[in-house]
Amino acid sequence: MKVSPLLRWETMLAVVVVLEFVLFSNISPYFLSVDTLSDASFNFTERALVALPLALLIIAGEIDISVAAIIALASVAMGLGAAHGVGTPGLVLLGLGTGLAAGMINGALVTVGRVPSIVATIGTMTLFRGAAYAVLGDRVLKDYPASFAAFGQGYFAGPVSNELVLFAVFAVLFAVFLHRTRWGRSIYAIGANPVASRFAGVAVNRYRFALFALTGLFSGLAAVLLTSRLGSTRPSIAQGWELEIISIVILGGVSVWGGKGSIPGVVLAALVFGLVTFGLGLMNIPGIVMSIFIGLLLILVVAVPALLNRR
């Protein structure tokens, strides 16, 4: 059945974005400032970059809980590299390479080891975060070269940050890939029915492995941007981000059972999430209250479609 454009999930998310602008601009006189909105973009771009490949993975019927731990491990690798005099290009390669290797480990566990993805990535989440703590302990690494700050603190033009431009470019590329290519259609088919996809000649495990590796690579990219923005590495970096990134993906309309979802929905959900957390921050709402809100939001977006489908 064809759904009216006005009733589509993406349309409702766009309405929520507009309502957030109206609400927070009335609550805080600083909200509509160009500089304030520029700062707000830092609130979601790193998480949203990881949400793009994770959306593809969840549409394919899998999940990766270890993304935040991969960010921590990649940041530690870069911190150790910086402490030994590695330059900025080498540090970026270290971050991306560590993320890619971690993603490939997850992919191998699921496709070769046949471990359910939620079990495999809960295990690697503990492994990667534990390795970060084992290497650093309570230390903080901050010997980064000055040029490294350009990734997380630089601006492309005026108030538009490099991070925001990077996210916009990758959002377009992911949208084209998922919605306009044969590979994108295969990902939907795998999520809807992996057995039928195999009989149709789709290399299901090859797709799954590639999507885990891609999610790891983008977790490494998020580690580069976050570490550059903070100018330091500690093992607790990005703690709890896995819940927030998964919340963005599911809030964007991606089905936790696979086979459904869109990149425009994920982009709008990232905007909704970023504006909510930034607006609550402007109102001096404590972080623990925000965590409760995010948890309730995740339950809501999962439970409501399930209840509606039972009717």
Side-chain angles (χ1 to χ4, degrees):
M1 183 176 67
K2 190 172 182 179
V3 179
S4 165
L6 293 176
L7 296 178
R8 293 186 62 174
W9 188 256
E10 291 85 353
T11 306
M12 288 188 271
L13 286 174
V15 171
V16 172
V17 170
V18 173
L19 290 176
E20 284 180 344
F21 269 100
V22 173
L23 175 65
F24 289 124
S25 60
N26 279 292
I27 290 175
S28 171
Y30 307 105
F31 185 76
L32 282 184
S33 153
V34 173
D35 291 332
T36 302
L37 290 175
S38 175
D39 289 342
S41 70
F42 288 107
N43 214 38
F44 67 89
T45 45
E46 292 143 4
R47 296 170 179 82
L49 273 167
V50 183
L52 293 174
L54 187 62
L56 270 57
L57 191 61
I58 295 178
I59 289 172
E62 303 293 342
I63 196 166
D64 187 346
I65 310 289
S66 69
V67 287
I70 294 176
I71 293 173
L73 190 64
S75 183
V76 168
M78 288 187 289
L80 293 174
H84 288 83
V86 176
T88 296
L91 293 177
V92 173
L93 288 176
L94 260 179
L96 297 178
T98 304
L100 178 62
M104 291 172 72
I105 290 172
N106 285 334
L109 286 171
V110 173
T111 58
V112 180
R114 298 184 182 277
V115 182
S117 58
I118 191 166
V119 176
T121 56
I122 285 176
T124 53
M125 174 181 70
T126 307
L127 174 67
F128 298 151
R129 182 71 72 177
Y133 272 102
V135 170
L136 276 193
D138 294 330
R139 287 189 298 153
V140 178
L141 299 175
K142 53 177 68 174
D143 298 324
Y144 289 99
S147 59
F148 185 64
F151 294 97
Q153 300 177 31
Y155 289 86
F156 181 77
V160 181
S161 68
N162 291 338
E163 287 196 4
L164 186 59
V165 172
L166 201 61
F167 170 62
V169 169
F170 278 118
V172 171
L173 292 176
F174 271 80
V176 171
F177 175 79
L178 183 63
H179 302 297
R180 290 287 184 270
T181 69
R182 176 174 58 84
W183 299 292
R185 290 192 291 276
S186 296
I187 289 172
Y188 280 112
I190 292 169
N193 193 329
V195 176
S197 299
R198 276 198 185 91
F199 281 114
V202 177
V204 173
N205 277 347
R206 197 174 299 171
Y207 272 90
R208 286 173 172 165
F209 182 86
L211 290 176
F212 275 108
L214 189 66
T215 305
L217 179 64
F218 272 71
S219 300
L221 176 61
V224 172
L225 298 174
L226 178 61
T227 307
S228 167
R229 181 162 62 85
L230 299 178
S232 64
T233 288
R234 61 185 71 224
S236 60
I237 194 169
Q239 189 97 43
W241 277 29
E242 58 277 343
L243 175 61
E244 298 173 11
I245 294 168
I246 292 170
S247 298
I248 290 173
V249 175
I250 296 175
L251 180 62
V254 175
S255 170
V256 290
W257 292 280
K260 293 180 182 176
S262 73
I263 294 301
V266 174
V267 172
L268 285 167
L271 282 174
V272 169
F273 178 86
L275 290 174
V276 163
T277 53
F278 190 75
L280 294 177
L282 280 179
M283 295 164 61
N284 293 320
I285 302 295
I288 186 67
V289 177
M290 288 193 200
S291 299
I292 293 171
F293 176 81
I294 291 168
L296 289 174
L297 190 65
L298 184 59
I299 293 170
L300 192 67
V301 296
V302 172
V304 169
L307 290 174
L308 291 176
N309 286 334
R310 286 184 182 178
R311 293 184 174 183

